[in-house]
Amino acid sequence: MARNPESGTPEGNTSRALPFPGRRAPDKPDISPLTQRLNAVWLSDIHLGSRGCRAEFLLDFLESTQCNVLYLIGDIVDLWALKRSFYWPSSHQAVLRRIIAKAGEGTRVVYVPGNHDMLARDIAARQFLDIEVATEAVHTTADGRRLLLIHGDQFDHVVLCSRFNRWVGNASYSLLLALNQLANGVRRRLRLPYWSLAYYVKNRVGNARAAIETFERAAVHEARRRGFDGVVCGHIHQPELRVIDDLLYCNDGDWVESCTALVEHRGGRLELVHWGDLQQPLKCERTASAAAEFQLLRLPRLSAR
């Protein structure tokens, strides 16, 4: 059995299952939940106010983790969706309350608005409910690396397509999200854990994969141009942690499709984690440095039964 290079434990059984009646949990989880206080956590593309938001998973993550700095990298509240149709269930309010509570309890919370919550950019360089608002931010890891933090919508212009193709793409994505919800409704009835159909399909469509790679290289180019050691962004709902052209590219994913976050451990090590019905590490820095090419993440990586 392969071993996890970061922990020295077998990779085949690294998940912790939420209590779920009728589904057998892994016998001996090899990696405990994120119980130690983290240096930093990055979240983006939560899309509170949209029907696709997996607020229950995010709330569990927020209640289960502690960190010195919480970075919110855009599209936290989906003002576009709220304008189309008002939707604000109690679970979405609970997530917002928990974030505000963390700020009040001493966690430094930095909010970098995205394109779906662009109105918040009007209050950049100010504090609101103990939350710092900025158009971009810089984070220095415990081992001294400087990371540029941006949402990523500023790179939309590099992914060129016609207005018709953009319309088709948006319509296809909306359909894919609806199918994602339907598929996971069936999986829940079968007592199976959450699985991202949207992530699976998106990375098997050639044009979509090419657009993602163009975006990634544009983000890395911007970080290099400005003298940073890496970049952390969101926007494209594509969790990733890998080295591109000798710079670290991190995308913390989203809470509509993949339910992922980027975390920094006490020593400065970065890790991408999935937090759905199963909670598990997806990719660590050592893996990111070793893999120059894109590798499809397993969301989630299911333990052998």
Side-chain angles (χ1 to χ4, degrees):
M1 180 182 294
R3 300 184 75 80
N4 185 319
E6 288 293 316
S7 64
T9 56
E11 281 192 341
N13 191 20
T14 59
S15 56
R16 176 176 74 91
L18 284 171
F20 204 103
R23 188 180 73 214
R24 186 169 69 84
D27 295 328
K28 295 180 180 179
D30 296 305
I31 295 179
S32 61
L34 301 173
T35 53
Q36 293 186 338
R37 190 174 184 88
L38 300 161
N39 283 348
V41 169
W42 290 263
L43 304 171
S44 75
D45 299 274
I46 298 172
H47 290 277
L48 295 172
S50 74
R51 297 182 185 276
C53 172
R54 306 302 306 224
E56 69 281 9
F57 292 149
L58 177 56
L59 186 60
D60 183 63
F61 175 83
L62 291 170
E63 292 178 343
S64 302
T65 56
Q66 297 292 328
C67 60
N68 295 332
V69 189
L70 172 61
Y71 291 106
L72 305 173
I73 312 297
D75 288 2
I76 306 306
V77 175
D78 193 332
L79 299 179
W80 296 7
L82 287 171
K83 185 177 180 180
R84 289 193 301 268
S85 173
F86 186 80
Y87 177 74
W88 195 262
S90 59
S91 59
H92 292 210
Q93 183 68 14
V95 167
L96 204 56
R97 287 182 180 276
R98 190 70 196 98
I99 291 172
I100 294 170
K102 279 183 175 287
E105 293 163 1
T107 298
R108 182 187 173 210
V109 180
V110 180
Y111 172 33
V112 178
N115 53 317
H116 283 253
D117 47 10
M118 190 180 295
L119 287 177
R121 290 176 178 171
D122 292 341
I123 57 170
R126 302 180 188 176
Q127 274 203 333
F128 180 72
L129 298 174
D130 296 317
I131 296 172
E132 301 172 33
V133 184
T135 54
E136 61 180 46
V138 177
H139 175 78
T140 303
T141 63
D143 51 9
R145 290 171 297 169
R146 294 175 67 248
L147 304 177
L148 173 64
L149 315 184
I150 48 180
H151 178 62
D153 58 304
Q154 52 268 75
F155 304 124
D156 282 350
H157 68 279
V158 304
V159 186
L160 299 175
C161 61
S162 68
R163 182 176 298 180
F164 176 75
N165 286 341
R166 191 181 302 117
W167 181 85
V168 171
N170 289 338
S172 299
Y173 183 64
S174 297
L175 175 61
L176 186 56
L177 289 182
L179 292 174
N180 191 69
Q181 286 187 300
L182 179 62
N184 277 287
V186 173
R187 289 178 65 85
R188 184 167 290 276
R189 286 179 176 274
L190 295 174
R191 304 186 187 279
L192 294 172
Y194 177 83
W195 174 72
S196 180
L197 171 67
Y199 176 86
Y200 181 86
V201 172
K202 193 165 59 176
N203 283 282
R204 282 165 173 76
V205 176
N207 289 344
R209 183 64 235 162
I212 290 167
E213 291 183 354
T214 300
F215 174 92
E216 292 172 343
R217 293 195 177 277
V220 166
H221 174 77
E222 179 66 9
R224 171 177 285 107
R225 185 183 69 82
R226 297 174 59 180
F228 289 97
D229 299 303
V231 60
V232 181
C233 58
H235 188 48
I236 59 172
H237 297 203
Q238 180 74 13
E240 185 58 278
L241 175 59
R242 69 187 179 110
V243 174
I244 300 176
D245 298 335
D246 298 323
L247 259 73
L248 186 62
Y249 171 82
C250 310
N251 193 306
D252 57 22
D254 64 280
W255 292 85
V256 175
E257 304 170 37
S258 56
C259 302
T260 53
L262 180 71
V263 304
E264 181 195 348
H265 294 277
R266 300 295 289 177
R269 177 173 60 89
L270 298 176
E271 188 172 44
L272 197 60
V273 298
H274 168 72
W275 203 277
D277 288 315
L278 300 177
Q279 293 94 50
Q280 58 192 189
L282 291 175
K283 202 170 187 181
C284 62
E285 276 198 83
R286 190 174 302 178
T287 306
S289 299
E293 300 300 324
F294 165 75
Q295 294 178 344
L296 191 69
L297 299 174
R298 298 170 66 184
L299 290 169
R301 180 174 60 247
L302 300 180
S303 301
R305 297 181 181 273

